[in-house]
Amino acid sequence: MDPKLAFAGLGVGVIVGLTGMGGGALMTPILVLFFGVPPLAAVSSDLAASAVMKPFGGFVHARRGTVNWALVRWLCLGSVPSAFLGVLLMRALGGGDRVQDVVRNALGVALLLAVVGLLIKAYRKGGERAGEPKPIKVRPVPTLLLGALGGLVVGMTSVGSGSLIIVILLALYPALRPSDLVGTDLVQAIPLVFSAALGHALFGDLKLDLAAAVLIGSVPGVLIGARLSSRAPAGVVRAALVVVLVASALKLFNVPTTLVLAIATTITLLFVGQWAWRRGHDRDTGDETGVKGAESASGVVSR
């Protein structure tokens, strides 16, 4: 068993636990590009590993109360049967490389639009503070239909069980906190990924040894990421979502891995720099407010 494969699974597991997405969009290209795994075996093995990995992360979020169960139910009602349909459709198309390319490019555009939506939401609300989640009014029919779309894409490409549903939830329910967004997405992905994995196991080339190697690293990774996500401030989870969304979109566009890493690193550094600047600004503002308050209390005003 290749230790590098388990280490790659650990990294992807942390990302999945932290953001609810990135498994198919990151792990499948890693298996194909770095380990020489045939695409069909990579897709099937990644889905099988995700079917075991995601329940661990979902359990952590469920215990923390960061899962909207009503949304999970309606999403799964649409996504589970359509995941089987997606697998059958790809088998009927006889490979369907052109179809997969169109779906992947469309999904890449959707992920970039989700990034824009996250950034606009952040700047409109300013510094969002953790608190009690706002009540969400579930819209059953749109949620079911868009869940069905997500399941179809996952069944056809193995990509989207997290990333596409994140986009859907952001569009339909912008009031969801980042931690609730991640928790709901992780839990709804469990039956979805299991259905797609079962379909590929029946028709595809599943390699259990490959899936097991990925799981050795990804299970502890997703537990670590989920604990961080359920406790982290909204801004931290949002920043992680932006980085992973951009990286996933670029990989869907077949951008070279080196360039993807460089861009992701640059975005991360920008977020860190912004956080450091805000912290320094808040400290300066707090000091100034404290001095003025002391002067007012003592009756002495500096000139």
Side-chain angles (χ1 to χ4, degrees):
M1 186 174 293
D2 191 348
K4 295 179 182 177
L5 190 57
F7 184 75
L10 174 66
V12 173
V14 171
I15 292 173
V16 171
L18 182 61
T19 67
M21 54 168 293
L26 295 179
M27 196 67 221
T28 300
I30 287 174
L31 291 174
V32 174
L33 297 175
F34 292 102
F35 296 96
V37 178
L40 181 58
V43 168
S44 302
S45 302
D46 176 48
L47 281 171
S50 295
V52 178
M53 170 182 64
K54 293 202 173 191
F56 287 93
F59 176 73
V60 174
H61 277 277
R63 287 188 61 189
R64 298 283 176 187
T66 53
V67 177
N68 188 307
W69 293 102
L71 288 178
V72 169
R73 285 194 296 271
W74 285 106
L75 285 169
C76 290
L77 281 174
S79 65
V80 171
S82 64
F84 281 108
L85 179 61
V87 176
L88 293 174
L89 181 59
M90 287 310 303
R91 301 297 297 182
L93 292 174
D97 290 339
R98 180 177 297 180
V99 175
Q100 288 212 27
D101 288 341
V102 172
V103 173
R104 288 177 189 272
N105 288 331
L107 181 54
V109 172
L111 298 189
L112 293 180
L113 290 176
V115 170
V116 174
L118 274 172
L119 295 176
I120 291 175
K121 180 181 176 181
Y123 281 105
R124 277 183 178 177
K125 292 191 174 182
E128 185 176 308
R129 297 182 178 180
E132 291 297 321
K134 296 180 180 179
I136 300 295
K137 184 178 179 180
V138 177
R139 289 178 279 175
V141 174
T143 305
L144 186 147
L145 292 177
L146 291 172
L149 173 63
L152 187 67
V153 172
V154 172
M156 294 175 67
T157 67
S158 88
V159 177
S161 63
S163 52
L164 182 58
I165 302 300
I166 284 282
V167 175
I168 293 170
L169 290 175
L170 277 172
L172 283 178
Y173 305 102
L176 273 176
R177 296 182 306 172
S179 57
D180 295 334
L181 184 68
V182 173
T184 301
D185 179 55
L186 263 175
V187 172
Q188 69 79 30
I190 296 171
L192 166 57
V193 171
F194 180 81
S195 300
L198 181 60
H200 278 281
L202 293 174
F203 297 107
D205 184 20
L206 174 62
K207 292 188 176 182
L208 292 177
D209 56 341
L210 182 63
V214 174
L215 277 173
I216 288 176
S218 61
V219 169
V222 76
L223 287 171
I224 295 170
R227 288 182 68 86
L228 292 173
S229 173
S230 61
R231 296 186 176 194
V236 174
V237 179
R238 185 184 297 113
L241 279 170
V242 168
V243 173
V244 178
L245 280 166
V246 171
S248 300
L250 294 177
K251 286 308 302 176
L252 289 170
F253 292 139
N254 292 321
V255 175
T257 302
T258 304
L259 182 56
V260 173
L261 291 175
I263 293 174
T265 302
T266 301
I267 296 173
T268 303
L269 292 175
L270 288 174
F271 275 117
V272 171
Q274 183 188 39
W275 172 80
W277 178 85
R278 281 186 176 179
R279 188 172 183 181
H281 180 266
D282 291 343
R283 187 184 297 114
D284 293 342
T285 304
D287 292 343
E288 183 179 345
T289 303
V291 170
K292 288 182 178 179
E295 290 175 346
S296 175
S298 62
V300 178
V301 179
S302 59
R303 298 185 184 276

